[in-house]
């Protein structure tokens, strides 16, 4: 460090000014790259996430209204009403390709079934829930979804019941 200061003191005034100017330019560049840019990049990412979450919330609210309208319309889905709910869940899980992802199934009441997934694709899970509702007359009474380690994968607990019950 002393050798740098000694060398700096031997420079002409014009050279000293150039070294100071370049040092300031490097310092400003480092401040920008290490502080300013990451903060604003993170802020932009958070705003994009917020917009995405708003769109999902809007879609969910619309879907909820649609489900309520369908429920109040009184359409009964009874082609499978005499089959046990576990059979319907098994059949729909096989047809959607998520049967191997089911970790546990417990029947707590005659017309209710608790299903647990450790890791399942979110898109397939929603397809399965839709198929249960539309094709088999089984609705989700309770759903708990948590993000899994891999992108697009979730762990999930669902309590299902027949619509006719």
């Amino acid at each position: 460090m002393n050798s740098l200061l000694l060398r700096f003191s031997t420079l002409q005034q014009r050279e000293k000014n150039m070294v100071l100017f370049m040092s300031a330019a490097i310092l400003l560049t480092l401040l920008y790259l290490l502080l300013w840019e990451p903060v604003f990049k993170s802020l932009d990412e958070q705003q994009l996430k917020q917009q995405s979450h708003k769109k999902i919330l809007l879609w969910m609210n619309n879907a909820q209204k649609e489900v309520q309208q369908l429920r109040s319309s009184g359409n009964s889905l009874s082609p499978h009403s005499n089959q046990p709910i576990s059979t319907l869940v098994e059949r729909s899980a096989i047809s959607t390709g998520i049967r191997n992802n089911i970790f546990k199934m417990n029947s707590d009441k005659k017309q209710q079934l608790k299903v647990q997934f450790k890791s399942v694709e979110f898109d397939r899970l929603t397809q399965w829930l839709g198929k249960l509702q539309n094709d088999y007359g089984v609705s989700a009474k309770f759903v708990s979804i948590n993000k899994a380690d891999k992108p697009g994968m979730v762990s999930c607990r669902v309590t299902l019941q027949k619509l006719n019950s």
Side-chain angles (χ1 to χ4, degrees), residues 19-31:
V19 167
L20 290 174
F21 176 77
M22 286 307 295
S23 298
I26 290 171
L27 180 65
L28 288 174
T29 302
L30 285 174
L31 285 173

Side-chain angles (χ1 to χ4, degrees), residues 5-6 11 26 30 36 38 41-42 49 54-57 72-73 89 109 114 120 122-123 126 131 135 152 156 158:
L5 290 175
L6 182 62
L11 295 176
I26 290 171
L30 285 174
W36 187 268
K41 185 177 180 181
S42 175
K49 281 184 183 179
K54 283 182 180 179
K55 287 179 183 177
I56 291 171
L57 180 63
S72 66
S73 70
V89 168
K109 292 183 181 175
K114 292 183 179 182
V120 64
F122 179 76
D123 292 340
T126 55
K131 185 172 190 64
D135 297 350
C156 176
V158 183

Side-chain angles (χ1 to χ4, degrees), residues 138-156:
V138 176
S139 69
K141 184 176 181 182
F142 171 79
V143 179
S144 173
I145 298 175
N146 295 311
K147 183 179 176 183
D149 295 335
K150 294 181 183 177
M153 301 297 280
V154 295
S155 62
C156 176

Side-chain angles (χ1 to χ4, degrees), residues 5-18:
L5 290 175
L6 182 62
R7 176 128 168 100
F8 182 76
S9 64
T10 61
L11 295 176
Q12 295 179 2
Q13 186 61 34
R14 184 176 180 190
E15 292 171 334
K16 287 180 182 178
N17 289 341
M18 286 189 334

Side-chain angles (χ1 to χ4, degrees), residues 7-112:
R7 176 128 168 100
F8 182 76
S9 64
T10 61
L11 295 176
Q12 295 179 2
Q13 186 61 34
R14 184 176 180 190
E15 292 171 334
K16 287 180 182 178
N17 289 341
M18 286 189 334
V19 167
L20 290 174
F21 176 77
M22 286 307 295
S23 298
I26 290 171
L27 180 65
L28 288 174
T29 302
L30 285 174
L31 285 173
Y32 174 79
L33 292 175
L34 297 174
L35 295 175
W36 187 268
E37 183 182 19
V39 166
F40 282 96
K41 185 177 180 181
S42 175
L43 183 63
D44 289 343
E45 289 173 0
Q46 292 300 322
Q47 287 174 342
L48 288 174
K49 281 184 183 179
Q50 182 184 20
Q51 290 172 354
S52 173
H53 289 140
K54 283 182 180 179
K55 287 179 183 177
I56 291 171
L57 180 63
L58 180 63
W59 176 84
M60 287 179 145
N61 286 334
N62 290 336
Q64 179 186 18
K65 290 175 186 173
E66 185 178 338
V67 166
Q68 288 172 344
Q69 288 174 348
L70 290 172
R71 282 185 180 165
S72 66
S73 70
N75 290 345
S76 90
L77 302 170
S78 60
H80 304 285
S81 62
N82 59 346
Q83 296 181 1
I85 190 170
S86 58
T87 304
L88 301 175
V89 168
E90 185 87 20
R91 184 179 299 150
S92 63
I94 290 169
S95 70
T96 357
I98 63 169
R99 174 59 187 107
N100 294 335
N101 299 93
I102 294 178
F103 176 66
K104 189 188 300 184
M105 284 197 311
N106 292 328
S107 181
D108 62 351
K109 292 183 181 175
K110 183 179 178 185
Q111 297 296 328
Q112 284 191 354

